[in-house]
Amino acid sequence: MTSLTIGLLLIALLVVLILLGMHIAIGLILVGFLGIWILRGNIDLAFRLLDLTAWNGIADYLFATIPLFVMMGLLVSASNVGRDTFAVAEVLLRRLLGGLGVATVAANTVFAAVTGVSIASAAVFTRVAVPEMRQHGYRTAFAAGTVAGSSILGMMIPPSLLMIVYGVLAEVSIGSLFIAGVIPGAMLALGFVVVIMTMARFTPGFVYENPEAARQRRQAGPQETGMSGREMLARLLPIAALVFLVLGGLYSGYFTPTEAGGVGAFGALIIALMRRSLTRQKTWEIIRQTGAISVSILFLLIAASFYSRMLSVAGLPNGIAGLIRDGGFSATGFLAMYILLIIALGMILDSTSILLIVVPIMAPIADGFGFNLIHFGVLTVLAVEIGLLTPPFGISVFTVHNTLNDPSIGVEKVFMGTIPFISVMILVLLVLAFFPVLSLALI
């Protein structure tokens, strides 16, 4: 049996172990250890490589980015910034066709620029936006689908934890990845707005419980908002300042990604203190969650690094690249196959697991085909995010469904509500694939 065959069998074993419920990090370490032991016939070598990987895997200063951005996102969530952003967007956009849906996308776009976690966006706006949309006559399935669909902006608009993970695995600049995500993120947000307004215009029954009543309410003239321009400015100023501080410093080159995370976390702490939203219990909970989330991610990265060493020992990237070339695949054919594989895996695995399994194998092959790995990373993250909305796994959909906690709204209705947003994501993915300059223009 060749090394390539053994490597492929080990990858299949990894997928089976994850589907059986094994933690992805444990699975990666176990498969990596078995692979090195079998391929080299030396268990001591496997132990030494594991020791070396655990020692050096996350020693770089760059990895401080992860806890800093996680803490910033948790502090922002605790400060009710998402609620305030949605409230202002609602006042400004309520008279548009599908105005509250547009407001949800707008608020999620701003919120994504300081959190970087899709699940956080889904949980926050399910509590904030869905009740408000239902009160104004929107169908619950559409409201929940809008929140789930727009929540994926958290992983495309920087800072993004998925981009950090990809950058580490593919060994590319995380700062460049962040910058490359800006235009694709804006394209997604604009596409979501267009599809919401189009549905509200041509298929109002999908958007509203009673389309005629919604039309009459919108034409009834200006409504009392109960919010002055000064109050709107006061609600938006903290989040606007934080976005400008973090992203402005990052894009101008004044901050490294790690420094931007530190400045952002400190700015979020100031906002939380000024709003008096931090109790002793809440502060401890934020610290605890920061530690738990960060350690989980860093452990995953150590495991992925060990798994990558096994793949190198097996010669798997070069072997698969040879099979692809011998099979007559062009660069375009390889990219199409890769994207379809990512989307298919998204139906059964979570986003981080997909990156950890696939990127160490495919990034070297993509590099060999001449792809820019920054552009390749944007396509990868977008394809992975589609998986967050597709059944049966659909973690963003399940987050919305569980947060909503409404027995009358089955998870299948939320999945149906996300279909228009998945269509937009696929369209944007195709455009970015054919026009790489859109993701590389700002670098």
Side-chain angles (χ1 to χ4, degrees), residues 30-49:
L30 178 61
V31 169
F33 187 89
L34 285 175
I36 293 170
W37 184 9
I38 293 170
L39 290 165
R40 289 291 179 261
N42 188 337
I43 193 172
D44 290 335
L45 175 62
F47 275 117
R48 285 199 299 271
L49 282 177

Side-chain angles (χ1 to χ4, degrees), residues 3 34 73 94 147 210 222 251 280 287 359 369 372 402 405 418:
S3 295
L34 285 175
R94 67 168 59 183
V147 170
N210 187 333
Y251 297 155
R280 181 178 297 178
I287 294 173
V359 171
F369 270 111
N372 183 298
N402 292 338
N405 195 24
T418 64

Side-chain angles (χ1 to χ4, degrees), residues 196-249:
I196 288 170
M197 295 183 69
T198 301
M199 287 191 300
R201 174 68 177 85
F202 296 104
T203 58
F206 186 86
V207 177
Y208 301 106
E209 292 286 357
N210 187 333
E212 182 59 27
R215 185 185 65 80
Q216 292 175 358
R217 186 185 301 113
R218 196 174 62 252
Q219 294 177 347
Q223 301 173 4
E224 181 60 42
T225 65
M227 189 183 301
S228 65
R230 178 174 295 180
E231 185 180 353
M232 283 191 279
L233 183 61
R235 291 195 181 203
L236 284 181
L237 186 59
I239 188 70
L242 192 59
V243 171
F244 176 78
L245 185 66
V246 175
L247 300 188

Side-chain angles (χ1 to χ4, degrees), residues 39-71:
L39 290 165
R40 289 291 179 261
N42 188 337
I43 193 172
D44 290 335
L45 175 62
F47 275 117
R48 285 199 299 271
L49 282 177
L50 179 57
D51 177 60
L52 182 65
T53 304
W55 178 256
N56 294 326
I58 55 172
D60 197 286
Y61 169 73
L62 176 68
F63 290 98
T65 309
I66 293 171
L68 291 170
F69 277 126
V70 169
M71 177 170 281

Side-chain angles (χ1 to χ4, degrees), residues 331-417:
T332 302
F334 162 74
L335 183 61
M337 180 191 69
Y338 173 72
I339 289 173
L340 289 174
L341 173 64
I342 292 283
I343 294 174
L345 288 175
M347 296 180 181
I348 54 175
L349 298 175
D350 67 276
S351 53
T352 306
S353 298
I354 296 169
L355 290 183
L356 295 173
I357 293 170
V358 174
V359 171
I361 302 171
M362 294 301 189
I365 298 173
D367 190 39
F369 270 111
F371 286 100
N372 183 298
L373 289 185
I374 299 295
H375 172 241
F376 190 73
V378 171
L379 297 179
T380 299
V381 170
L382 182 51
V384 166
E385 287 295 284
I386 293 174
L388 291 183
L389 302 178
T390 51
F393 197 81
I395 190 170
S396 283
V397 171
F398 280 101
T399 300
V400 170
H401 180 256
N402 292 338
T403 306
L404 195 59
N405 195 24
D406 185 344
S408 66
I409 303 299
V411 69
E412 71 282 354
K413 292 185 178 180
V414 185
F415 274 120
M416 286 295 295

